[in-house]
């Protein structure tokens, strides 16, 4: 777990909590763990959510998009 934590840029405690299924971990950090493990996730975003996404984009906010942070981020979030 120490090696995984170091490679993913998170702490040992975070890896331990993720492994135990803690419900309140940070999603972006969790995606970094998955990326380091070579695990890819894909998400289907319903068309009904697109108006909200576009409003967030207009305001300059990122709607759960981490496109620039590695392969795991290319999961369609």
């Amino acid at each position: 777990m120490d090696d995984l934590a170091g490679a993913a840029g998170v702490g040992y405690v975070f890896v331990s909590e993720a492994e135990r299924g803690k419900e309140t971990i940070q999603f972006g950090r969790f995606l970094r763990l998955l990326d380091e493990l070579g695990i890819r996730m894909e998400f289907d975003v319903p068309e009904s959510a697109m108006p909200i996404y576009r409003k967030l984009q207009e305001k300059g906010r990122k709607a759960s998009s981490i496109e620039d942070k590695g392969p795991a981020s290319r999961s369609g979030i």
Side-chain angles (χ1 to χ4, degrees), residues 27 31 34 39-45 71-77:
F27 193 64
L31 287 176
L34 294 180
I39 299 170
R40 180 186 163 117
M41 291 180 67
E42 292 188 28
F43 301 89
D44 289 325
V45 179
S73 66
R74 293 185 208 106
S75 58
I77 300 173

Side-chain angles (χ1 to χ4, degrees), residues 13-77:
V13 172
F14 182 83
V15 175
S16 178
E17 290 173 344
E19 183 181 43
R20 288 192 320 259
K22 183 178 178 185
E23 294 181 14
T24 59
I25 62 172
Q26 294 178 358
F27 193 64
R29 293 171 72 191
F30 183 68
L31 287 176
R32 288 199 315 247
L33 285 179
L34 294 180
D35 184 43
E36 191 59 40
L37 292 168
I39 299 170
R40 180 186 163 117
M41 291 180 67
E42 292 188 28
F43 301 89
D44 289 325
V45 179
E47 189 62 36
S48 62
M50 293 310 292
I52 295 169
Y53 177 77
R54 288 186 189 103
K55 283 182 182 179
L56 290 172
Q57 283 182 315
E58 289 171 9
K59 292 180 181 180
R61 296 184 181 165
K62 295 180 181 177
S64 302
S65 177
I66 52 174
E67 290 295 325
D68 299 329
K69 295 185 181 177
S73 66
R74 293 185 208 106
S75 58
I77 300 173

